[in-house]
Amino acid sequence: MLEPEVESRPWKEQQALDDARYRTQLAYLFERSAFYREKLAAAGFPSARAAGGLADIARLPLTEKREIRATCTPENPIGTHLCAPPAEIVRIYSTSGTTGSPSYIPLTAGDLDNWVTASARSYAASGIAAGRRIVSTYNAGPFVAGAALAAFDRIGLSHIPVGTGNTERLMLAIEQLRPEAAVLTPSYAAYLVDWAAERNFDLRGSSVERVLVAGEPGGGEPAFRANLEEGWGARVTEAMGIGDIGVSLWGECEEQDGMHLGARGFVHPELIEPETGVAVAMEDGAGGELVLTHLQHRAAPLLRFRTRDHVQVRTNPCRCGRTGPRVRCIGRTDDMLIVRGVNVFPSAVREVVSAFAPDVSGHVLVRPRAPGVKQEPPLPVRVELARGRAPDSALADAIRERLRNVLVIQTRVDLVPWGSLRRSEYKSKLVEHEERSPKDPYL
Ligand SMILES: [Zn+2]
């Protein structure tokens, strides 16, 4: 553990400390944040005192990303949740966003330091320790991933940045510099398994013993992970953050049983039902959308921010000694479909299908026929066959049957040849609505 006295602190003690920090953060918001002063007053909370402590947090309104964006103007392109004066802002990251214009994420020196601390705890949980070599494939650029890279310095690693989309250079660095660990998106990790197989590159025999995945859900799906571990001959652990709140807030330990909150003390986690916004207790086995609140942020703190990440919670003690709830991300709430009343995550479809390896490649594409979330069965699913495998109606039937038994949905399974679903060197798209690309046969 990077900071054993913090990471193994009894969770009750952590919550007591966090409650005091939260009350201070609320007072700061009422003093400095035009956005929250207005929002909380409109919800019936005219003061920090009225808003109470962490035990009362579910009474406060949730914050949606689009609300923040709606306050951006040419005079204030960051938004009215900005609290710190310009002289205190040391970094402004961007998120790409889906609407075209970026969202800006300002940080004070203290905020940035807290981000790096949290990220360092999360990555160190994987077992990688000072003095070891790690090769990274993230492009720092304007994006928050840059702050995660600073975490490697904090841990004391020997860091080899190769950036995104240069597979030849990455593999050369692995061969020549012999790093113990590689950090990449789960999609890229899977892409490299195929890449290596095509070129008889001995990825299994490489120096890499730990593969640290982050940036998208999937690294925790058991069958997908088993394929990665087999292909790399390495232990796979995952990390997860959300740009607006912090990088690599969560990181998995060597027990591989969900991610610990590396950002404990900086961020308070909650769960809600995504459809209703109703709070769900963070109990063992609970599932819901993750909602996060800054506890000691200065530049632009967020309160009850909807992450759109759907997680499952574990609270049984972890053998590593870290305390507090752990999470596994099962998908983005935005990707969730409702098939005749049943919630379905495309990542769950991939998980079920991946168990049919070595007959299938593990690549799937869900192709909803109707726009929006609600779908009528059968849900079309393209399943890519393993290399050299011919289509076979018995296999399609078996996959359809398994999807029906495990996920309780009716699907139409179309088997497609190896190589026909798009591979990603960054993040995979598991859902594509049919009407969006009528000309693309399989992409
Ligand atoms: Zn653990």
Side-chain angles (χ1 to χ4, degrees), residues 253-255 260 318-322 326:
C253 71
E254 291 175 285
E255 300 296 328
H260 293 282
C318 187
R319 273 188 293 185
C320 75
R322 290 175 183 83
R326 307 190 293 289

